[in-house]
Amino acid sequence: MSQIPLLDLKAQYQTIREEVRQAVDKVLDGGRYILGPEVKALEEEVAAYCGVKHAIGVANGTDALVLALDAAGIGPGDEVITTPYTFFATAEAVSRLGATPVFVDIDPQTYNIDVKQIRAKINSKTKAIIPVHIFGQPADMEEIMAIAKEHNLFVLEDAAQAMGSEYKGRKIGSWGHAATFSFFPTKNLGGYGDGGMITTNDDELARKIRSLRVHGSNPESKYYNSMIGYNSRLDELQAAILRIKLRHLDSWNDARREKAALYDELLKDTPVVTPYHADDRKHIYHLYIIQAEDREQLVGHLKENGISTGVYYSIPLHQQEVYKSLAYEEGSLPTSEYMSKRTFALPLYAELSNENIHRIVDIIKSYYANK
Ligand SMILES: *Cc1c(COP(=O)(O)O)cnc(C)c1O
């Protein structure tokens, strides 16, 4: 019985092997290894792709969040509204700057921050909102920007899972005052190591971030420091690899969407809940997430049959040990808590065969048939 992984990066590499090896050789022969021409070219290409003025390469997606919030002036005493249904880094970046994350429950269909519940959590300390386009599904950006305008808040899109997603015909990464991306290998646009990027149309914010990533020094005069910064640079090898992968991203995302549609169709008559897809958004299915009431048993049955799955997210952030002091009671964010017991990801990647999708669904059906 052959195994089906959740994601198969080796299969993807085989499709771009020659292009990548040539690009890597070019960097190694060129002698510039950090923040050189490849990073600059990738920044221009990502800015053009997202339709924004600036893109700034940094060391990873977590740093992208920290640097963007720092450049926006977020610090001790400030509150930042975000979702508890995300990877830990979203809230960690807020806490790392000495600010406090304020969690708003999620929408049960999109799993994104529930915009109807944001206003109730805004007070005089609130400085920013971080919507996360979770699993590749865009958050409700129009409403979020309207709320932010009313209250003069900074909006940072955490787009780590959403490079290529669109909301109302416009790319994710161009809606907020700034947006952050991760190039962690498993992301839709992933490198062969760590990497991250920030996009923005704000010249002053971009200038600050460019300085913060090199110790707060002036990039043109590097021993002159005006801010306490970071060492958070993107390297040339990753940038060269990412430039190649960016050229394939749309076709990979299209393949994911087609395969997601096949799953949707085949799972229609089963008890699992398939992903919601809003008409005004282009979902890129970073993960194909389903809900099952008896998740642990179903995941176990799939595993016994050679199918890998991933549980996202088993502990919502307001219930993490480290945030105990924020004192969210059990049941305070009920939709996040409910979903944390039910959702998980099925295998999905451009190279996954339709035959294997049929096999995975047959295994799910056999689980319910024998229950
Ligand atoms: C992956 C991820 C990050 C962090 O990115 P790294 O590059 O791993 O630091 C942040 N937010 C979300 C939603 C993510 O999925």
Side-chain angles (χ1 to χ4, degrees), residues 101-112:
V102 174
F103 298 110
V104 167
D105 208 4
I106 58 170
D107 176 278
Q109 284 188 304
T110 64
Y111 308 125
N112 280 315

Side-chain angles (χ1 to χ4, degrees), residues 104-177:
V104 167
D105 208 4
I106 58 170
D107 176 278
Q109 284 188 304
T110 64
Y111 308 125
N112 280 315
I113 191 166
D114 183 351
V115 291
K116 294 186 297 300
Q117 299 187 47
I118 293 177
R119 281 189 180 85
K121 300 260 179 134
I122 295 176
N123 62 45
S124 60
K125 293 183 193 160
T126 311
K127 292 286 151 52
I129 307 174
I130 311 180
V132 180
H133 307 298
I134 204 71
F135 311 133
Q137 165 103 275
D140 193 348
M141 289 312 297
E142 214 159 64
E143 183 60 17
I144 291 166
M145 295 315 289
I147 296 169
K149 199 165 176 193
E150 276 168 35
H151 298 273
N152 195 26
L153 305 175
F154 177 73
V155 176
L156 179 62
E157 300 172 66
D158 182 340
Q161 303 185 2
M163 175 76 84
S165 295
E166 288 174 19
Y167 175 82
K168 306 206 166 172
R170 211 171 98 200
K171 281 263 162 29
I172 281 314
S174 69
W175 281 89
H177 300 108

Side-chain angles (χ1 to χ4, degrees), residues 59-65 85-90 132-135 158-161 180-187 194-196 286 313:
N60 54 67
T62 307
D63 276 9
L65 289 162
Y85 214 57
T86 176
F87 179 57
F88 184 64
T90 312
V132 180
H133 307 298
I134 204 71
F135 311 133
D158 182 340
Q161 303 185 2
T180 60
F181 293 95
S182 164
F183 302 131
F184 187 78
T186 60
K187 303 293 157 98
D194 276 309
H286 166 60
Y313 287 95

Side-chain angles (χ1 to χ4, degrees), residues 188-219:
N188 287 38
L189 180 63
Y192 294 132
D194 276 309
M197 197 157 273
I198 298 147
T199 55
T200 183
N201 282 314
D202 183 327
D203 297 340
E204 179 53 18
L205 195 75
R207 190 195 60 76
K208 270 196 195 156
I209 294 167
R210 283 187 192 285
S211 169
L212 285 174
R213 76 175 167 179
V214 287
H215 307 284
S217 69
N218 180 338

Side-chain angles (χ1 to χ4, degrees), residues 40-351:
K40 189 160 186 292
L42 177 69
E43 289 177 342
E44 284 163 7
E45 287 160 12
V46 168
Y49 182 81
C50 292
V52 295
K53 266 169 91 175
H54 307 280
I56 304 131
V58 294
N60 54 67
T62 307
D63 276 9
L65 289 162
V66 173
L67 268 67
L69 292 172
D70 193 344
I74 306 300
D78 295 339
E79 291 187 358
V80 176
I81 289 175
T82 192
T83 162
Y85 214 57
T86 176
F87 179 57
F88 184 64
T90 312
E92 182 186 30
V94 174
S95 301
R96 175 50 60 210
L97 289 165
T100 305
V102 174
F103 298 110
V104 167
D105 208 4
I106 58 170
D107 176 278
Q109 284 188 304
T110 64
Y111 308 125
N112 280 315
I113 191 166
D114 183 351
V115 291
K116 294 186 297 300
Q117 299 187 47
I118 293 177
R119 281 189 180 85
K121 300 260 179 134
I122 295 176
N123 62 45
S124 60
K125 293 183 193 160
T126 311
K127 292 286 151 52
I129 307 174
I130 311 180
V132 180
H133 307 298
I134 204 71
F135 311 133
Q137 165 103 275
D140 193 348
M141 289 312 297
E142 214 159 64
E143 183 60 17
I144 291 166
M145 295 315 289
I147 296 169
K149 199 165 176 193
E150 276 168 35
H151 298 273
N152 195 26
L153 305 175
F154 177 73
V155 176
L156 179 62
E157 300 172 66
D158 182 340
Q161 303 185 2
M163 175 76 84
S165 295
E166 288 174 19
Y167 175 82
K168 306 206 166 172
R170 211 171 98 200
K171 281 263 162 29
I172 281 314
S174 69
W175 281 89
H177 300 108
T180 60
F181 293 95
S182 164
F183 302 131
F184 187 78
T186 60
K187 303 293 157 98
N188 287 38
L189 180 63
Y192 294 132
D194 276 309
M197 197 157 273
I198 298 147
T199 55
T200 183
N201 282 314
D202 183 327
D203 297 340
E204 179 53 18
L205 195 75
R207 190 195 60 76
K208 270 196 195 156
I209 294 167
R210 283 187 192 285
S211 169
L212 285 174
R213 76 175 167 179
V214 287
H215 307 284
S217 69
N218 180 338
E220 270 78 55
S221 146
K222 78 176 177 188
Y223 298 110
Y224 178 84
N225 290 77
S226 55
M227 293 184 282
I228 297 295
Y230 305 81
N231 172 3
S232 184
R233 300 173 297 219
L234 184 59
D235 66 64
E236 287 285 283
L237 279 176
Q238 295 310 329
I241 291 160
L242 288 162
R243 288 185 68 201
I244 290 174
K245 288 193 158 197
L246 181 59
R247 288 172 213 146
H248 296 276
L249 181 65
D250 285 345
S251 74
W252 289 334
N253 282 345
D254 286 346
R256 279 173 183 270
R257 257 196 304 281
E258 278 164 32
K259 288 170 201 302
L262 178 59
Y263 266 129
D264 288 348
E265 177 62 30
L266 297 174
L267 286 168
K268 220 168 42 196
D269 303 319
T270 70
V272 307
V273 178
T274 55
Y276 173 73
H277 189 165
D279 287 342
D280 58 356
R281 299 169 213 193
K282 192 164 167 185
H283 193 331
I284 54 149
Y285 295 96
H286 166 60
L287 291 167
Y288 186 85
I289 295 287
I290 62 171
Q291 291 172 40
E293 202 180 313
D294 37 7
R295 177 179 68 191
E296 293 357 290
Q297 291 92 313
L298 179 55
V299 161
H301 178 77
L302 283 158
K303 190 171 174 207
E304 278 164 29
N305 287 280
I307 314 300
S308 295
T309 56
V311 170
Y312 301 89
Y313 287 95
S314 56
I315 306 176
L317 301 191
H318 67 288
Q319 296 188 320
Q320 290 286 350
E321 163 100 43
V322 71
Y323 286 136
K324 251 197 190 131
S325 61
L326 298 179
Y328 286 82
E329 278 166 28
E330 176 95 39
S332 57
L333 302 175
T335 307
S336 315
E337 292 165 33
Y338 175 87
M339 294 305 171
S340 72
K341 296 181 180 72
R342 299 169 70 110
T343 54
F344 71 101
L346 294 177
L348 182 66
Y349 41 93
E351 300 76 17

